[in-house]
Amino acid sequence: MTIRLRPHHLLCMLTYVGKGYTDAFCTNFDAITARLGAGEEILVVAGPDDVCAPVETLEGHHCFETSIVDRDAKAAASVTALLGIPADEGARLTLSAERLAALRTAFQARTIRTACADCEWSELCDGIADAGYPAIRLTASG
């Protein structure tokens, strides 16, 4: 199977520690991080993805807002530049331990975080990255 992710979720997954919008959101993201850690392929998509599924029908969701679409473009550009592989719509990639480490190092150094400006979760993510990623859910072995 393949996990559909919008580009900014390539950054969100780095600091995910089991906190989110709803219990259903967290249960879903836990399953996604387990699959990603096991090497399942990512298909980068535009708009709502597998992470969004539990909340995209809730009133007030922001999946189609211009600011979120802009966040996706910035995240795709940052991840592409860092990893040297496409991370925009249609790209397919897997997360090796090496790629995940490179992403986390750059995230912690704040060199791939232009997409995170004005995100409601930034403070939480800052703390997790600054503390060295304790209790993260996504790990990769290969």
Side-chain angles (χ1 to χ4, degrees):
M1 293 186 65
T2 300
I3 298 170
R4 299 173 323 109
L5 289 182
R6 64 187 316 157
H8 82 263
H9 285 155
L10 295 170
L11 301 178
C12 298
M13 68 184 182
L14 301 174
T15 58
Y16 176 66
V17 293
K19 297 183 186 289
Y21 299 103
T22 65
D23 288 343
F25 176 90
C26 293
T27 298
N28 182 56
F29 212 163
D30 285 342
I32 288 170
T33 57
R35 291 168 54 197
L36 290 172
E40 194 160 331
E41 182 183 56
I42 295 167
L43 171 63
V44 181
V45 298
D49 62 6
D50 293 339
V51 172
C52 300
V55 295
E56 69 180 308
T57 58
L58 298 177
E59 185 177 330
H61 75 85
H62 58 248
C63 296
F64 293 105
E65 290 179 8
T66 302
S67 63
I68 304 304
V69 174
D70 183 52
R71 184 172 292 157
D72 283 334
K74 289 175 180 175
S78 294
V79 172
T80 296
L82 176 71
L83 298 180
I85 58 172
D88 51 353
E89 183 180 5
R92 293 181 176 272
L93 62 134
T94 56
L95 293 174
S96 63
E98 180 181 89
R99 282 183 180 164
L100 195 52
L103 286 163
R104 285 207 171 103
T105 297
F107 191 90
Q108 190 174 44
R110 291 170 167 70
T111 59
I112 60 168
R113 300 204 31 204
T114 57
C116 303
D118 300 321
C119 176
E120 65 188 284
W121 298 97
S122 286
E123 188 174 315
L124 174 68
C125 296
D126 289 347
I128 293 164
D130 292 346
Y133 299 101
I136 55 169
R137 301 286 172 99
L138 176 61
T139 59
S141 58

